[in-house]
Amino acid sequence: MMMNNFFLPNGMGAVEAEYHEFPLEEYNSNPFIQALPPLIDKQTIIKKLMSPISYKEEERNMDSAYRLHLIHRLYKLFQPLPIHLSIWNTIHTLIYQGYIARNPFDKDYRRYINKTGKQIINRTFDINSRADFRTTANSATLIGYSGMGKTTTVGRVISNIPQIVVHNYYNYQHFNQIQLTHLTLQTPHNSSLKSLTLQFFMKIDELLGTNTFQKQVSRNLSTDAMLPLMGQVALNVGIGMLIIDEIQHLQNRGVQQMMNYFVTLMNSFGVPILFVGTPASYSVFQNEFRISRRVSGNGEIIWNNMENDKEFYFFLESIWRYQWNQKYVPLTKDLVDIFYEQTQGVSDLIVKLFVNVQEMCITNGKEEFTVDMIKRCAENQFRLMKPMLDAIRSKNIYKMAQFEDLRKIEYTSDIQISKPSKERIEVIQSKTKVVKEATKKITVHKKRNVKRVVDNGDDDIRVLLKISGDTTPYQLLVEKDYIDNMALWMEGEGK
């Protein structure tokens, strides 16, 4: 059946809840789960994700002025790869599993919501206390190179899940509830937890037409007071999953506080979280075992650049048919190799290079590109990215570590090992420099072989002892009044 779409009073689109029966027992008897789309197989997922673009062979004969615009259709193309299926399954698992413990028709869960709500109103809720609630919420991380399409892929996946679902009746019972299946937040550049909280309230108000943000700002509450309110709103609107994008913006001073709250959101309020970021964010999760254990609860998806293998060939082949030059150029091994050499398997750069080389051919009237033209085009268009591409091309971890977004994460014996961070390399280099300088000073000192000359005064004990001759040290010290003559003390005691 087709979903009944309508608009909320604020103009946002929503759907009326339709309940599906699942073969999994734990997914039934819960309106939050049953209102979600049915799970689908791999082939259907690929069809859902795929976004082909319009193309007709006769368009290659159009005037160049129009073809220069037609080639920009390539930016809208989305070709599913195996990693996209992993992201799809991870997101759906997070949302569906996270709702299991949050069944609004479960008496224990309703009791917990009421109890927590009263504590928040009375300001007795302790965010660090152990919640009397067994959550099924989990988290996952998506870490990958800039330009691989992390945010775009997450957006395409969640676009297949209605964001706002309105419930009216469930099993012939009144059930007036708005369900927000997912919400995306951007990590503040200053790692401010208050900024993240206010962003949360603003997004909720934008989607649902509420005035939560205005109320919280007018009350001028502290961050600690606002955090429980954020959790309460998450409970009230049945948030299925929080997506925290650009997590690499977290700075050292804000990591601990923000991560602690994310853990609390999962434990106390049952909200699953997907963290999305570049390799620079990997060290954020490795700093503390407790955080690492929680954020990798539903797995880690590591998205490095493509190797020059079957996957890269498949991706390039999928866009190759979209040529608007008058002379069609077949895909050869030389062309595959030059495209990899100039893009290093970064999805965004592959598409941009393919667009730009076609634009060059149309503009100069040659209407056919060659290996040399591709190389020249890349040199002109990717001039700013040359240091980064050279670092990837070198496969030198120290060069790549200069650009945090390019730090490659490898798998070794099923253990994920991160390459040394830029900070770590700087520490090592600094220590090496200190050792070298110290060694150099020692060497110079030995070469000079300069003896130290100390000018001691006449009353220096060391000088007196050297010139004492036959006089014993004791007699010398007595004569010079450094110590008392003990014989006089003995005679005094005899008297």
Side-chain angles (χ1 to χ4, degrees), residues 89-209:
N89 291 326
T90 296
I91 288 175
H92 281 73
T93 302
L94 283 174
I95 296 177
Y96 285 62
Q97 288 287 318
Y99 277 130
I100 291 177
R102 291 186 292 158
N103 187 343
F105 283 86
D106 181 84
K107 292 180 180 179
D108 292 334
Y109 178 64
R110 288 208 307 267
R111 192 180 299 115
Y112 170 74
I113 290 180
N114 293 333
K115 177 184 174 182
T116 304
K118 289 177 182 178
Q119 289 176 342
I120 293 174
I121 292 173
N122 298 327
R123 297 193 179 185
T124 59
F125 179 80
D126 184 4
I127 200 167
N128 297 313
S129 65
R130 186 175 181 84
D132 184 22
F133 168 61
R134 189 174 180 82
T135 181
T136 54
N138 224 321
S139 64
T141 54
L142 171 57
I143 299 176
Y145 275 29
S146 293
M148 293 306 295
K150 300 181 299 297
T151 302
T152 301
T153 302
V154 171
R156 285 202 63 79
V157 172
I158 62 178
S159 69
N160 287 276
I161 304 173
Q163 187 173 21
I164 305 173
V165 180
V166 178
H167 301 260
N168 293 305
Y169 292 92
Y170 179 72
N171 286 345
Y172 306 104
Q173 299 181 57
H174 283 284
F175 180 51
N176 296 320
Q177 172 75 45
I178 288 183
Q179 176 185 358
L180 192 64
T181 59
H182 53 83
L183 181 67
T184 301
L185 301 178
Q186 301 293 322
T187 305
H189 286 269
N190 59 357
S191 299
S192 168
L193 192 51
K194 188 165 187 177
S195 297
L196 183 76
T197 308
L198 293 176
Q199 182 188 162
F200 172 85
F201 291 136
M202 289 177 67
K203 287 284 186 74
I204 293 290
D205 290 348
E206 178 185 348
L207 291 169
L208 304 182

Side-chain angles (χ1 to χ4, degrees), residues 36-140:
L36 297 173
L39 299 177
I40 54 180
D41 59 25
K42 184 189 297 185
Q43 294 303 320
T44 310
I45 293 174
I46 293 172
K47 289 179 181 178
K48 292 276 188 182
L49 287 177
M50 189 175 291
S51 177
I53 55 177
S54 175
Y55 174 80
K56 297 176 182 177
E57 292 235 2
E58 53 266 30
E59 290 174 341
R60 290 163 49 195
N61 298 320
M62 294 177 68
D63 188 88
S64 61
Y66 292 101
R67 286 185 289 127
L68 287 173
H69 287 257
L70 288 174
I71 56 178
H72 286 268
R73 289 178 182 173
L74 278 162
Y75 291 125
K76 297 179 181 178
L77 177 69
F78 189 92
Q79 174 59 53
L81 297 172
I83 195 165
H84 297 134
L85 300 180
S86 298
I87 296 171
W88 175 288
N89 291 326
T90 296
I91 288 175
H92 281 73
T93 302
L94 283 174
I95 296 177
Y96 285 62
Q97 288 287 318
Y99 277 130
I100 291 177
R102 291 186 292 158
N103 187 343
F105 283 86
D106 181 84
K107 292 180 180 179
D108 292 334
Y109 178 64
R110 288 208 307 267
R111 192 180 299 115
Y112 170 74
I113 290 180
N114 293 333
K115 177 184 174 182
T116 304
K118 289 177 182 178
Q119 289 176 342
I120 293 174
I121 292 173
N122 298 327
R123 297 193 179 185
T124 59
F125 179 80
D126 184 4
I127 200 167
N128 297 313
S129 65
R130 186 175 181 84
D132 184 22
F133 168 61
R134 189 174 180 82
T135 181
T136 54
N138 224 321
S139 64

Side-chain angles (χ1 to χ4, degrees), residues 354-368:
F354 193 52
V355 169
N356 288 329
V357 75
Q358 289 193 59
E359 184 176 353
M360 178 186 288
C361 290
I362 294 172
T363 304
N364 62 24
K366 292 188 177 180
E367 297 291 348
E368 183 181 18

Side-chain angles (χ1 to χ4, degrees), residues 205-312:
D205 290 348
E206 178 185 348
L207 291 169
L208 304 182
T210 53
N211 64 342
T212 313
F213 174 79
Q214 185 178 355
K215 285 194 298 185
Q216 306 313 329
V217 171
S218 63
R219 292 169 67 184
N220 196 26
L221 296 174
S222 66
T223 303
D224 289 341
M226 292 174 69
L227 295 181
L229 294 171
M230 180 177 170
Q232 185 182 35
V233 171
L235 289 177
N236 291 342
V237 299
I239 291 183
M241 178 181 64
L242 272 182
I243 301 168
I244 310 297
D245 203 0
E246 306 293 351
I247 198 69
Q248 72 274 5
H249 291 158
L250 277 182
Q251 301 167 2
N252 290 333
R253 64 184 179 84
V255 169
Q256 188 67 41
Q257 186 184 16
M258 195 169 286
M259 282 300 171
N260 282 340
Y261 186 61
F262 289 147
V263 171
T264 303
L265 272 179
M266 288 185 280
N267 287 341
S268 298
F269 300 105
V271 181
I273 300 177
L274 174 66
F275 298 97
V276 182
T278 67
S281 62
Y282 202 70
S283 57
V284 171
F285 302 123
Q286 289 184 321
N287 287 338
E288 187 176 332
F289 174 75
R290 183 174 66 91
I291 292 174
S292 301
R293 181 177 62 84
R294 289 300 304 177
V295 301
S296 60
N298 208 62
E300 301 176 10
I301 300 176
I302 306 300
W303 199 349
N304 292 321
N305 61 320
M306 287 183 276
E307 299 291 340
N308 192 358
D309 54 17
K310 291 181 180 179
E311 184 175 332
F312 174 74

